[in-house]
Amino acid sequence: MIPKTSLPRFTRSAVYLRTYSTKMGPVPLAYHLHPAPIPSAAKNDSPLIVMHGLFGSRQNNHSISKALAKDLNRPVYTLDLRNHGESPHTPYHNYEVMAEDVEHFLQENKLGPKTVLIGHSMSPPPPQLHFNSTLTPTRGAKTAMAVALRKPSIISSIIAVDNAPIEAALHSSFGGYVRAMRKIEHSNLTNTKEADAILAEVEPDVAIRQFLLRNLVRSDSGRLGFRIPVGTLARELDNMSAFAYHPDEVRFEKRALFVRGTQSPYVPDEAVPIIGRFFPLFRLKDIDAGHWVISEKPNEFKEAVIEFLNEEE
């Protein structure tokens, strides 16, 4: 359970006015930089960009990013994608606009073509995946894949964690999460146990409930709300199943690492040939874990990333 004192406070200017944007085009992303221990090292121009998944934030990747910066001696940036964390809220939420945000971030921070993108879905996996001829992927690491396919010249490689470029319609549990989160916001709650009880009506897993409740903030009056725009994300859930690419039309002809949790259904064997069509130079790394590969097996994940990146040198 989230302690009451740990909840961040929000004000009208800090959340509703500062973060809400209706403009077209990219939005500036909030981020945290874990600098390379030795700034003068040659690897300093080979940054890593780490991205969270739906309902997550850059805080989810703090520990692994800090460890990678130290062990690789590279700067590591953890991002809050739009409508998440401290980044701006907009009415638009799909992989095209999220990829555009990341491309803008690279340009604004003068990060060169040696940049590596790491993306992971933080969502609980659906019971089964559905394939069709359109090969439409959803969620998490898909933002990294979209950047790679849109602008391959601006990065050197990608690392996709437990996701594949296949169609996987959002499980019905997501609709339940959204309804419960909206109920929490409309109930004028002041106690996190009450918020957890509402989520428990749709999600029995305590870890998933705690993950969702990390988005809670407390107003000056003590009322609980979510720092993410729940209504926008609810409306855009269908767009999270849309992906504008087909492997016969566009490919990423650079190195890619796909890390698969062997106890997770997100990257079934049937998806491997499809990965190869989009990313012909890909490598698959299996780790004995569920969907939450990074948190379940952080050392194994870190070793896989280090091995993959060291091979580029």
Side-chain angles (χ1 to χ4, degrees), residues 65-234:
S65 299
K66 183 178 180 180
L68 287 172
K70 177 179 180 293
D71 291 353
L72 287 166
N73 198 40
R74 298 190 186 197
V76 180
Y77 295 80
T78 54
L79 305 184
D80 281 338
L81 300 179
R82 65 166 58 198
N83 293 318
H84 289 77
E86 297 179 1
S87 284
H89 296 177
T90 83
Y92 311 103
H93 196 85
N94 56 65
Y95 294 113
E96 286 289 285
V97 296
M98 287 190 285
E100 189 177 2
D101 293 342
V102 175
E103 294 158 10
H104 180 72
F105 178 84
L106 298 183
Q107 181 180 17
E108 288 294 299
N109 289 275
K110 297 180 172 57
L111 302 181
K114 293 183 180 180
T115 299
V116 178
L117 301 184
I118 301 178
H120 177 233
S121 168
M122 293 281 181
S123 313
Q128 62 182 3
L129 298 174
H130 303 282
F131 297 84
N132 70 13
S133 60
T134 61
L135 309 175
T136 307
T138 60
R139 292 193 298 280
K142 306 306 191 302
T143 301
M145 298 182 202
V147 173
L149 296 172
R150 282 167 51 99
K151 298 286 183 67
S153 64
I154 69 174
I155 61 173
S156 66
S157 59
I158 69 165
I159 299 173
V161 186
D162 209 48
N163 250 315
I166 58 178
E167 180 170 352
L170 284 167
H171 188 235
S172 59
S173 61
F174 283 91
Y177 298 156
V178 168
R179 288 191 297 273
M181 293 165 79
R182 300 186 84 166
K183 181 178 179 180
I184 289 170
E185 289 194 315
H186 295 154
S187 298
N188 295 319
L189 302 181
T190 59
N191 189 301
T192 55
K193 290 184 179 180
E194 295 174 331
D196 182 69
I198 291 176
L199 274 175
E201 296 173 2
V202 299
E203 177 51 64
D205 192 314
V206 174
I208 294 176
R209 297 203 307 269
Q210 289 180 335
F211 170 74
L212 295 171
L213 289 173
R214 290 193 188 110
N215 288 295
L216 276 179
V217 290
R218 191 181 298 280
S219 71
D220 290 338
S221 65
R223 181 176 61 86
L224 297 176
F226 286 95
R227 64 179 175 179
I228 58 176
V230 178
T232 296
L233 295 178

Side-chain angles (χ1 to χ4, degrees), residues 63-65 67-68 71 259 287-289 292-306:
S63 296
I64 190 65
S65 299
L68 287 172
D71 291 353
V259 179
I287 293 180
D288 184 18
W292 301 62
V293 179
I294 298 175
S295 60
E296 291 180 36
K297 297 292 180 69
N299 290 331
E300 288 87 340
F301 174 76
K302 184 181 68 171
E303 290 171 3
V305 171
I306 292 173

